[in-house]
Amino acid sequence: MVNRWFGKFLSFTFITSCLFIGIGIGTAIRMGKIQASDQPPKPAETLPILPPATEEQIFPDSITIQAVGDVIPGTNYPNYRLPGNKNQLIPKSVRKHLQRADILFGNFETSLTNYPYSSKDISKGQIFAFRSPPGYAKLFGDVGFNVFNIANNHAKDFGLVGFRDTVKNLAQVGIDTVGHKNQVLLLQANNVKVGMVGFAPYEYYNSIHDLKAAKALIVEAQTKADVVIVSMHAGAEGTGALRTQNQTEYFYGENRGNSVKFARAMIDMGADLVLGHGPHVPRAMEIYKGKLIAYSLGNFLGYRTLSTAAETGYSMILEVKLNQIGELVGGKIIPVHLDKQGIPHIDQRFRTVGLLRGLMGKDFPKTAVEINRQGEIVIADSEV
């Protein structure tokens, strides 16, 4: 009873106060003490409700990265296996898909040198050395490549002389190389600072076996760049190595590392994207802590050098869009297939897309990323 009475009292007091205020204002207006312009303004028109800001509106500066796998444009050692015209190595149908990247990346597995002496004994089984003409650097510059990884098992096929020639010849056409010992490669694209670090299972590069040193490089890259990308040469090779497993892999007795453990450790330290290569076949992808890991991009070009049988001929152009703080905005798989000579062609049958969908279902069934039948990368609502 008391509460209801008190409520009525407050209502009466409020109404009475309003009446007195209204009378006072009206009297003041009539006496000329308040001008019409001083009267309370009319209520403003209701503004339209705007849709939520898009990711691109919040982060207007974003970058598009395109990445391909292993690249060998033929060899003239120990015998001559080069095309009549080097421009046929990357057909126009493929080139037109490589024109929209801010950063175009590949794994370069040959030496651009005329140095005559190989550092390898190719008389032994399963040991190969590749050497390509220095003039071939222009082909890749014309196509639009910005960065080649050189932390792999073929970049030093012709020793330090061949290696330095390769780096020099690529630099002359505007292509940076990543994977040098203790190197953080810095790039600028669309007002976004990008840091890249390359790793391989060898001590003369940044080694995947030395996690402490690897983590320190990622921390350094973070202090210098907005987005950090890791290039990872790891894993066994061939059609028997399609599956991605969280364990150490060996190839002909060589420790090729645990690619899952290494890639996730790089994400833990702040990397935003991991690009894997080396197995010569495509492997599954996963989202780990919101970041994309592509465990192997397969072969991209292997003119009369790399096998194209079965899944070794399945290839891709991975296209990834990241915003200015390294978040995945979108992406897709552009399917490619290598012909018998190892030349890439856009695959209208989408075989690589089907392969990746199957591998991801087996190797990372709970990951928060899917690839639809059109090759688009779709982020799910939850992740492991």
Side-chain angles (χ1 to χ4, degrees):
M1 291 292 292
V2 173
N3 289 339
R4 285 201 298 270
W5 179 87
F6 187 66
K8 290 180 179 179
F9 173 75
L10 289 177
S11 298
F12 174 78
T13 303
F14 175 74
I15 293 169
T16 305
S17 300
C18 290
L19 287 171
F20 277 116
I21 292 170
I23 292 169
I25 292 174
T27 302
I29 291 173
R30 285 195 300 272
M31 294 176 66
K33 293 180 179 180
I34 300 178
Q35 302 298 321
S37 59
D38 295 323
Q39 296 182 42
K42 294 181 180 180
E45 295 182 6
T46 303
L47 295 174
I49 299 175
L50 298 175
T54 64
E55 192 79 30
E56 291 190 359
Q57 289 171 329
I58 298 172
F59 302 108
D61 296 322
S62 61
I63 56 171
T64 298
I65 300 120
Q66 288 185 326
V68 300
D70 308 316
V71 175
I72 306 176
T75 182
N76 54 21
Y77 181 93
N79 49 41
Y80 192 89
R81 285 172 283 163
L82 296 173
N85 180 357
K86 67 178 181 294
N87 290 310
Q88 75 183 80
L89 292 169
I90 304 180
K92 291 181 179 179
S93 61
V94 174
R95 294 188 194 201
K96 72 178 184 180
H97 286 277
L98 299 172
Q99 302 304 310
R100 52 177 173 262
D102 299 304
I103 297 174
L104 179 55
F105 166 90
N107 175 49
F108 202 63
E109 294 214 66
T110 186
S111 296
L112 294 173
T113 184
N114 291 318
Y115 188 68
Y117 306 111
S118 174
S119 59
K120 291 183 174 179
D121 183 0
I122 62 171
S123 65
K124 297 180 179 179
Q126 295 299 313
I127 295 181
F128 305 95
F130 304 119
R131 183 182 65 191
S132 307
Y136 276 32
K138 186 177 184 301
L139 164 68
F140 298 105
D142 291 345
V143 169
F145 280 93
N146 306 95
V147 183
F148 272 135
N149 173 73
I150 44 76
N152 56 52
N153 53 321
H154 286 291
K156 292 186 177 179
D157 281 359
F158 285 78
L160 284 176
V161 174
F163 181 79
R164 290 166 181 162
D165 285 348
T166 302
V167 172
K168 178 192 69 175
N169 289 320
L170 290 172
Q172 286 177 345
V173 297
I175 300 175
D176 290 307
T177 48
V178 67
H180 301 273
K181 190 78 169 180
N182 300 320
Q183 175 208 30
V184 175
L185 174 65
L186 296 175
L187 305 167
Q188 182 92 11
N190 294 346
N191 298 316
V192 178
K193 295 178 182 178
V194 179
M196 294 190 72
V197 188
F199 298 91
Y202 311 107
E203 291 301 322
Y204 42 85
Y205 300 118
N206 301 313
S207 175
I208 60 175
H209 302 307
D210 189 347
L211 274 181
K212 182 178 179 180
K215 290 177 179 179
L217 279 170
I218 301 305
V219 171
E220 179 187 345
Q222 270 198 307
T223 65
K224 298 177 178 179
D226 305 312
V227 174
V228 178
I229 301 173
V230 166
S231 167
M232 173 184 71
H233 198 75
E237 299 182 14
T239 53
L242 280 165
R243 301 292 300 276
T244 307
Q245 303 178 54
N246 191 356
Q247 64 185 42
T248 301
E249 297 181 60
Y250 295 87
F251 187 68
Y252 283 94
E254 184 177 79
N255 185 337
R256 294 289 183 88
N258 182 329
S259 58
V260 174
K261 179 181 178 181
F262 180 80
R264 290 178 176 178
M266 296 301 96
I267 300 295
D268 288 339
M269 295 309 297
D272 299 297
L273 173 66
V274 178
L275 302 171
H277 38 79
H280 295 295
V281 289
R283 282 188 172 185
M285 300 180 185
E286 73 161 330
I287 287 286
Y288 175 72
K289 294 187 176 179
K291 307 298 183 179
L292 182 67
I293 303 172
Y295 281 99
S296 177
L297 301 169
N299 295 326
F300 180 69
L301 170 63
Y303 185 77
R304 297 178 62 192
T305 51
L306 298 175
S307 172
T308 62
E311 290 89 355
T312 60
Y314 286 42
S315 184
M316 72 179 94
I317 302 166
L318 171 63
E319 184 171 307
V320 177
K321 189 171 185 178
L322 302 177
N323 66 24
Q324 64 195 40
I325 59 172
E327 294 177 336
L328 181 64
V329 176
K332 62 181 175 180
I333 305 297
I334 302 169
V336 172
H337 200 267
L338 274 58
D339 63 22
K340 291 183 178 180
Q341 289 190 312
I343 295 175
H345 301 273
I346 299 300
D347 183 21
Q348 302 299 333
R349 294 168 58 185
F350 279 64
R351 281 169 282 190
T352 305
V353 172
L355 175 65
L356 287 176
R357 283 165 56 87
L359 289 172
M360 289 167 66
K362 295 174 183 177
D363 297 342
F364 303 103
K366 296 181 180 180
T367 190
V369 65
E370 297 178 358
I371 298 174
N372 65 23
R373 295 183 184 277
Q374 289 73 47
E376 297 166 327
I377 296 175
V378 180
I379 308 300
D381 293 332
S382 61
E383 62 177 274
V384 291

